[in-house]
Amino acid sequence: MDRILQNRKAMLGFGIMGLFIFVAVFGPMLVGDPQAFVGKPLQPPSAEHWFGTTRQGQDVFAQTVAGTRSSLLIGLIVGFSVVAIGAFVGTAAGYFGGRIDDALSTLINIFLIMPGLPLMVVLAAYLPPGPGSIALVLIVTGWSWSARVLRSQALALRQKDFVAAAVVAGESHIRIILVEILPNMISLLASACIGATIYAIAAQVGLEFLGLGEISAVTWGTNLYWATPKKS
């Protein structure tokens, strides 16, 4: 934890994330109903409607603030899930080595070489629309990068004296991983979590912009989807 507090970039990232969490929790209470018809259609930005209005006369700023909650929630769920899976697979591969490392590294490489965006589009197109499907798609396609980075760190840490001492002391593999290795990767895990959350939000917005999400929901992606001209 002290390493995170001393890392200015990590603290800046957590500060920005904290701001978005504040907006997601309290923002919808302050801007009112994002679905309400509050003005004339397609009004430009003004003091009354900061981001203008939609084709139906809804306030774009209210929809943006309200959409923060759903978009950030999926981002956080995907971010923590991706890092958790990556930590499990990557740390196990780096710590155990041998055939386990070969098998898990092969699995990681398979997911790394898959084209991310086309795979996301295909999976999202076949799953029922909704935030759960979007989160599942992003977790499946996003965990391998974290696993690769954390595997490299685990390979370096397993050579340290404190790991060798834990092995000689007869500690179980699970305890060594959880108590000796992962705490020494906390700054890397934190930065990976922030990066994965940002990736998840951007990818979710992209998929929903393509119409692969639940278009009736109020999210950043659906806001962009409805903002683009539609053929009649």
Side-chain angles (χ1 to χ4, degrees), residues 80-116:
F80 281 106
S81 299
V82 162
V83 173
I85 296 173
F88 173 77
V89 176
T91 305
Y95 172 75
F96 289 106
R99 294 182 178 179
I100 294 179
D101 184 24
D102 293 340
L104 293 179
S105 294
T106 301
L107 179 64
I108 293 171
N109 291 333
I110 290 173
F111 278 88
L112 282 174
I113 64 175
M114 287 182 179

Side-chain angles (χ1 to χ4, degrees), residues 39-52:
K40 296 180 181 179
L42 298 176
Q43 284 184 291
S46 63
E48 185 178 3
H49 306 293
W50 291 358
F51 291 176

Side-chain angles (χ1 to χ4, degrees), residues 35-164:
Q35 302 284 22
F37 303 103
V38 295
K40 296 180 181 179
L42 298 176
Q43 284 184 291
S46 63
E48 185 178 3
H49 306 293
W50 291 358
F51 291 176
T53 59
T54 66
R55 290 180 176 81
Q56 292 75 35
Q58 299 159 319
D59 188 83
V60 176
F61 177 73
Q63 292 193 340
T64 302
V65 172
T68 304
R69 179 174 294 180
S70 175
S71 297
L72 185 60
L73 178 61
I74 291 180
L76 290 173
I77 291 174
V78 173
F80 281 106
S81 299
V82 162
V83 173
I85 296 173
F88 173 77
V89 176
T91 305
Y95 172 75
F96 289 106
R99 294 182 178 179
I100 294 179
D101 184 24
D102 293 340
L104 293 179
S105 294
T106 301
L107 179 64
I108 293 171
N109 291 333
I110 290 173
F111 278 88
L112 282 174
I113 64 175
M114 287 182 179
L117 181 58
L119 180 60
M120 283 191 289
V121 171
V122 170
L123 290 176
Y126 281 95
L127 292 173
S133 297
I134 294 290
L136 178 61
V137 169
L138 297 179
I139 292 170
V140 170
T141 58
W143 65 269
S144 54
W145 181 85
S146 297
R148 169 61 65 188
V149 174
L150 296 172
R151 171 187 173 274
S152 300
Q153 186 69 8
L155 282 171
L157 288 174
R158 75 171 185 175
Q159 306 297 331
K160 299 296 184 180
D161 292 338
F162 61 86
V163 175

